[in-house]
Amino acid sequence: MFLIHKIIYLYLFVCVTLLIFNILYILRSDRDKRRSEARTRRWKEELDHTAVYMRERAAVQGSHLKLVVRQLRNTEELIAYYNALFSGQCALNEEELNIYFSACRSIFPELAMLYQKRNSMERAFFAYVVSVCFQYGDNFPDQTSEILLSYLEDSTIYCRERVLEALYSIGDSQAVEQAFEYISAKEWYHNSRLISDGLQKFRGDKRELVLRLWKHYGEWEEEVMIGVLQFATNVSGSFRKEFYQELTDPNVPSEIRLALMRYFRRYPDQKSEEYLIKLLCRRGKESDAFSIVAASALSSFPSENVKAALKKAIHDQNWYVRRNAAMSLQRIGITKQDEEEIRESRDRYACEMLDYIVGKELPLTAG
């Protein structure tokens, strides 16, 4: 009986302790929220005064820049400053933000040095602020990018992504190259889609950046190079010469070659047409992935040779090859005669795929 009483008292003690903890947590959260809102209001007022000064003198007062450097040493002030600028109620319009951040450019290296000694999460947030702020004003390499590279040491994947985004906004192609050099040397995984989407935000010469990064093919991690290829596909068709050799090299990793095939789909030429037809006609389980992508890539090559190869591929035993071949035929322009030729083959699966893609209700041939 005594033991039961002790258990009940212990349970009541735990409940009371949790209740007190929750009350204190709510009170502290409410206090922190009020402080954060007060900081944001102060920065909005400061930016209002700055906006008035800029409209009168087309410049940013030195006292404001000194205040920014002094206050933003504190992470909470940095958060409030960011919220005041980008919460949608900032007094500065788009043109004024460009002037403002061109003037503020000189203070970021000092702030970057200060946050260099902070933990990974604080470094990541500062890099994020840089990535947003440097979308405005002049884009040219400066000391900030060199300091941000040091943030990669002992970093999380979240911090690395934020640093890369900051380097893209700065527009420093050499720093971007050095960042991927470091990531590959450490053998860190970084998703190729994140890389390609991020590189699209680069504010400098994108073509020059592609050439700078591609020269490291064979040295860097495969995921990085796939991201570079996906980025190049959205930049220019002027890399055909550089990419064709790797496209035809059987020793190149499969994922790299598939990315190259998608590049030549976007930017077709005669040499790649001939090679893609060869890939489409290859047989064997290991060749299926190449045939599937080749059947899709050839939709950008409206020649008779391609049409003949696609009409043959629509009879392939692989469903995905048949589907992509039918879709490519439709994009190129399939004629009534082409349809009749496929149907006369008495290949039920080819006819079904034709009906599925072209969407015509034709009677199926038995067989």
Side-chain angles (χ1 to χ4, degrees), residues 97-109:
L97 282 172
N98 284 313
I99 298 171
Y100 177 77
F101 283 114
S102 291
C104 289
R105 192 81 185 224
S106 60
I107 69 175
F108 275 94

Side-chain angles (χ1 to χ4, degrees), residues 274-290:
E274 295 171 1
Y275 187 72
L276 289 171
I277 290 175
K278 289 180 182 179
L279 289 179
L280 177 62
C281 298
R282 287 173 62 177
R283 290 293 178 268
K285 194 170 183 179
E286 62 180 12
S287 302
D288 281 354
F290 293 107

